[in-house]
Amino acid sequence: MVMQDFLTAVKYQLPMTIIILNNEKLGMIKYEQELIGNIPYETDLENVNFGKFAITCGGNGFHVNSVEELEAALKAAKNQQLPTIIDVEIEDRAPLPGKIEWDQAFSYSKHLWKKLVENEREWDMPPLKTILKRLF
């Protein structure tokens, strides 16, 4: 779904609930750029509140930061007659594909090397055990 689709849902008063997992990035685009060995370019979305966007469009919107807030938002959304967006803040973690091909792993390694060398900054790498669990 793209944002203009939400306006259509408001126009026709479609009682739907959309949950956005918000890591303040264009996460899949960032991951695809990393996957081919590039440093992400223009993928950050700072201070985006999709709940407020929904309200501005004439629907209902919630911005949640915890499981308790999410439960309350889901209950409230269930009783709404207008489309609703629930904007859920999440950590910035790379999505992992169901199967990792050798060329993907190689290209991702190139990305990590570029990130380390070209950005010249401290690199926060998870422990090897965590990396292996993500891969297998």
Side-chain angles (χ1 to χ4, degrees), residues 17-81:
T17 300
I18 297 112
I19 299 173
I20 297 176
L21 303 177
N22 184 355
N23 64 351
E24 294 188 344
K25 297 199 181 321
L26 297 172
M28 290 305 295
I29 303 300
K30 176 184 177 228
Y31 176 68
E32 288 170 357
Q33 290 176 1
E34 291 172 350
L35 196 60
I36 60 172
N38 294 331
I39 292 178
Y41 178 74
E42 297 298 324
T43 57
D44 292 337
L45 301 172
E46 297 182 22
N47 301 320
V48 177
N49 186 327
F50 293 106
K52 286 184 181 177
F53 168 82
I55 293 167
T56 301
C57 292
N60 297 308
F62 302 93
H63 183 84
V64 300
N65 298 305
S66 68
V67 173
E68 294 79 18
E69 290 178 2
L70 177 58
E71 289 175 3
L74 286 169
K75 286 178 185 174
K78 186 177 180 181
N79 299 320
Q80 300 295 326
Q81 297 303 312

Side-chain angles (χ1 to χ4, degrees), residues 65-126:
N65 298 305
S66 68
V67 173
E68 294 79 18
E69 290 178 2
L70 177 58
E71 289 175 3
L74 286 169
K75 286 178 185 174
K78 186 177 180 181
N79 299 320
Q80 300 295 326
Q81 297 303 312
L82 291 173
T84 302
I85 291 178
I86 301 175
D87 181 15
V88 182
E89 283 190 25
I90 61 168
E91 292 181 25
D92 180 26
R93 299 249 182 214
L96 291 177
K99 181 178 180 185
I100 298 174
E101 301 291 335
W102 172 252
D103 60 332
Q104 292 173 322
F106 180 75
S107 295
Y108 191 72
S109 298
K110 287 192 326 188
H111 151 72
L112 294 176
W113 179 253
K114 285 180 185 179
K115 183 177 177 182
L116 178 63
V117 173
E118 293 178 12
N119 290 342
E120 297 179 13
R121 59 173 107 147
E122 190 78 20
W123 189 31
D124 183 29
M125 185 170 169

